[in-house]
Amino acid sequence: MKKTRIALLAIVAVIVVLGPTLAILFTDYLWFDSLDLTSVFTTLLSTSVILWLIGGIVFFLILAINLRVAGKSLPQYFVGPEDEVVFFKNPALQKYARLIFYGAAGLVSLGAASAFSSQSMTFLSAFNAEKFGSVDPIFGNDISFYVFSLPAITSVWSLVLGALIFSLILAGGFYALNGAIAFAEGARQFAPFVLRHLKALGGLLVIVAGIGVYLFRFSLLNSSTGVVRGAGYADLSATLPIMNALFVALILAGIALLLEVILKRSLRAPVLGGIVGLLVVVSIVYPSLLQQFRVLPNELDLERTYLERSIEFTREAYDIEKVELKAFAAADALEPADIIENESTIRNIRLWDWRPLLRTYGQIQEIRTYYQFADVDVDRYQLGDEQQQLMIAARELSVGQLEENARTWVNEHQVFLHGYGVVANKVNEIEGQGLPKLLLKDIPPKTDVPELEIERPEIYYGELSSEYGIVRSNEQEFDYPGTEGNVFTDYDGAGGVSVSPLINRIAYAIRFSAVNIVLGGVNPESKILINRKITERARAIAPFLVYDQDPYVVISEGRIYWIIDAYTVSDQYPYSQSASGINYIRNSVKVVIDAYNGTPTFYLSEDEDPIVKTYVNIFPDLFTPIDEMPEDLRAHTRYPVDMFNVQSEILATYHMDDPQVFYNREDQWVFPNELLSAEEVQVEPYYVTMRLPGESADEFALIQPFNPRNKNNLNSLLVARNDGDNYGKLMLLNFPKDKLVYGTMQMESLINQDPEISAQLSLWNQEGSRAIRGNLLVVPIEDSLLYVEPLYLEAETSELPELKRVIVGFAGRVVMEPSLEKALEMIFKEVESTPAVAPEDLTGDASVDIEPSAPAPTPPVGSTTQDTVSDTGDLSELITEADQHYQAAVDAQRDGDWSTYGSELSQLEDVLARMAEATGNQ
């Protein structure tokens, strides 16, 4: 009876300890199965289990063998050096010693097994590795050896080394506990059998350490001791030869120790040990001395070969070796006719910075407190026969924004489950007093543009959807707020996992610590949606990829999708410079997730990448060729900013291909700064529509300007192409070195020094409001550069930034006008009538405010979509029009339609301004 109780308690203890893990595994299997990706789950799980068993068994066997040797060879006494009989201490403990130490061995082995099993992708990659087709110049190994094979070999080596170290500790502890280590005349003495056993363990440890030194040699290819990353002169002339000698010495010393145990006589192993110690000291001291006194005084000559290798391998690793170089005149030669000729570029200049626009969206389009826009993205859409850049954002539901008393389990997990619709506007259009002219807005979504119509506006999967949800439950699911009350719905998508049978509900209840999943209003039709945050969803499926920080929303064929750029990376590419903790990157995967169904598709966008080809070998059912992506969706793929940032950072140095120029950093580039709001910040890459040199059509591109180090002028633009067959190609536009090309901070100085602009900024920054300076964009047109910066005005008591002015800079002049069209008109008049500001006239600090003698008057607000009224018309007609807008605003306020309310008020203000003009009261 007692044994039965103990057995039952043991079973309960196992369930309590393993229950959560088993629940997670079971529910993960159900989830992968619902996505038709069971093979991905089983491959990862089976590999982890196999590695767990191998690691645990090997580790425990090594410990157990040594404990067994210790136990079997343990007599009751031994004869000391003076023929005295030495009895073991603690004889009463001998009965429990084996239990204690075998238990400790088991616990340590469990930890080792867990650590080893976490290397599943390491071993899967090693066994399925694709060749890079490029070899390192020192050892002659294919790059795949360092990226795939070496990490797996190192993992096995670490497992064996750890097992031997713990064997030495446990065996020594076992002997000590049982009195096999005696004290005689104040000196510690080992029983002969103890000495033989520990010497054998020491020999094995020394051999394994030697193997570690052999493996360490390969890490020299990523050494950081020289002038660049990779093995340099000191590494190859000193460190590598010493490591080779140390490897041989350790192997011989380990073999000598083992032979002494076998032959039971001394083979002078301590002499070899002394040699090993000497080599260790030399390996630390000599390379440093060589670097200090031989290399540094002659660094360029001695490191030239390694500089060339660093340039070559770094360019390969970051995929910048094929950057197309183009000369760009950056001339001051634009004419009004060029603006007309490049109408598409002008029409797509982005005046809406995503930061203030996000706040504006929040005020006019969140509609209810529980809706939230996580981000605003820029993308291009084919609207009719023209391509147009749009600012676009998804209206998601954030349960954290619910009123506190409404945050019940039912509301958070069964009622408020999805966002609704998308908001979009052209990048440079405004209406009223400076609000974005929305092409897609409101709930349900309204648009006059066929390409933006949405048939399925519900967003169950997004950037904010972190909670699990149960659909088709017994509770009514909230759909959207209607004019006559809330509208409810039943989920009709393919996403989710059935909560039936009961075992499913129990497993999910354990996983989420939510007993309500079992008890709370579910039925046989109910489904649970998990991993709803899109980046976490993709990572749960393919944790071996690295994901871009900025997923973006896309409207395609009436549905809402998310696109996430995914990267294959490594930090083991030989001779490649490190950036952001990696030294190899490819944007090899585009992940598309349906916002309604949650269906993920991993499209292969780079089929020549050896890392992703290895992943395809491992998970053939996971990846889909990019050619199978629907054409409309593929038209929205973008060159990703995260990868472009890394490539730009590397190119700033590695565009120099001459070793001497590279070594001296004679042409080092840096990212320029700009004034954003009132702070000086680094210019971030941005998307533009532009016509590249030698091309006949405009295209969507991502660009990054560069400055020379310690200078503020521009010297180049890196361009990533996004359209058609040119997708992914990089072009570097190099500016002339013999003339000044205004940099962003120099242009900011021109803006600050302009009396009219400075006066207007001072006026706006008076108490009660603040002026917000948007991104300063450098836009290539023909063979010239145009600079455009939007200005927003925001009241301190609200978060509703309005676009009030547009600053345009060209040929050393700046103008500020209510619209881009007007600013372009005026800038060419300025060019014709006034001389440019000389560079030496610019203030050193571009952020200095120039105090005006008197505030400039505020001209009427312009709009890029509305014609200026030149004839004020009959006053009675204006009064009638004002009354109509007023009544429409009142009706919209009553209906809770805040978007229309704001629009009507803006139009009312415009009519009132026209009335004032008509009556002469300005």
Side-chain angles (χ1 to χ4, degrees), residues 23 26-27 30 498-510 518:
F26 179 61
T27 53
L30 294 176
S498 175
V499 296
S500 295
L502 178 61
I503 186 64
N504 289 16
R505 295 199 293 278
I506 293 174
Y508 281 111
I510 295 173
V518 177

Side-chain angles (χ1 to χ4, degrees), residues 119-189:
Q119 302 297 313
S120 56
M121 277 305 301
T122 300
F123 285 93
L124 284 170
S125 298
F127 286 116
N128 294 275
E130 288 279 343
K131 298 290 186 182
F132 276 70
S134 177
V135 299
D136 79 87
I138 305 302
F139 302 104
N141 295 316
D142 187 89
I143 305 299
S144 61
F145 172 77
Y146 303 99
V147 175
F148 301 127
S149 303
L150 187 58
I153 295 170
T154 302
S155 294
V156 173
W157 174 81
S158 298
L159 180 77
V160 175
L161 179 68
L164 290 175
I165 291 174
F166 275 100
S167 293
L168 189 62
I169 293 171
L170 289 179
F174 183 84
Y175 285 131
L177 185 65
N178 285 281
I181 299 177
F183 291 87
E185 299 179 357
R188 178 171 297 180
Q189 287 189 333

Side-chain angles (χ1 to χ4, degrees), residues 142-250:
D142 187 89
I143 305 299
S144 61
F145 172 77
Y146 303 99
V147 175
F148 301 127
S149 303
L150 187 58
I153 295 170
T154 302
S155 294
V156 173
W157 174 81
S158 298
L159 180 77
V160 175
L161 179 68
L164 290 175
I165 291 174
F166 275 100
S167 293
L168 189 62
I169 293 171
L170 289 179
F174 183 84
Y175 285 131
L177 185 65
N178 285 281
I181 299 177
F183 291 87
E185 299 179 357
R188 178 171 297 180
Q189 287 189 333
F190 294 89
F193 56 89
V194 174
L195 183 61
R196 288 194 300 272
H197 184 195
L198 297 184
K199 185 180 288 187
L201 273 175
L204 292 174
L205 266 173
V206 171
I207 290 174
V208 171
I211 295 172
V213 169
Y214 181 85
L215 297 176
F216 173 79
R217 302 176 317 137
F218 297 119
S219 68
L220 294 177
L221 295 178
N222 277 294
S223 169
S224 57
T225 58
V227 65
V228 290
R229 186 180 175 97
Y233 182 87
D235 293 314
L236 298 181
S237 301
T239 305
L240 182 59
I242 294 171
M243 291 296 103
N244 290 333
L246 183 58
F247 161 67
V248 173
L250 284 168

Side-chain angles (χ1 to χ4, degrees), residues 409-448:
W409 183 88
V410 170
N411 277 344
E412 291 186 355
H413 300 286
Q414 293 184 329
V415 177
F416 292 93
L417 298 182
H418 64 266
Y420 209 90
V422 170
V423 177
N425 64 279
K426 291 185 180 181
V427 293
N428 68 346
E429 287 193 355
I430 64 172
E431 64 180 3
Q433 294 297 307
L435 295 177
K437 183 180 181 183
L438 301 179
L439 298 182
L440 179 60
K441 61 183 179 179
D442 297 343
I443 299 176
K446 300 181 183 70
T447 183
D448 295 326

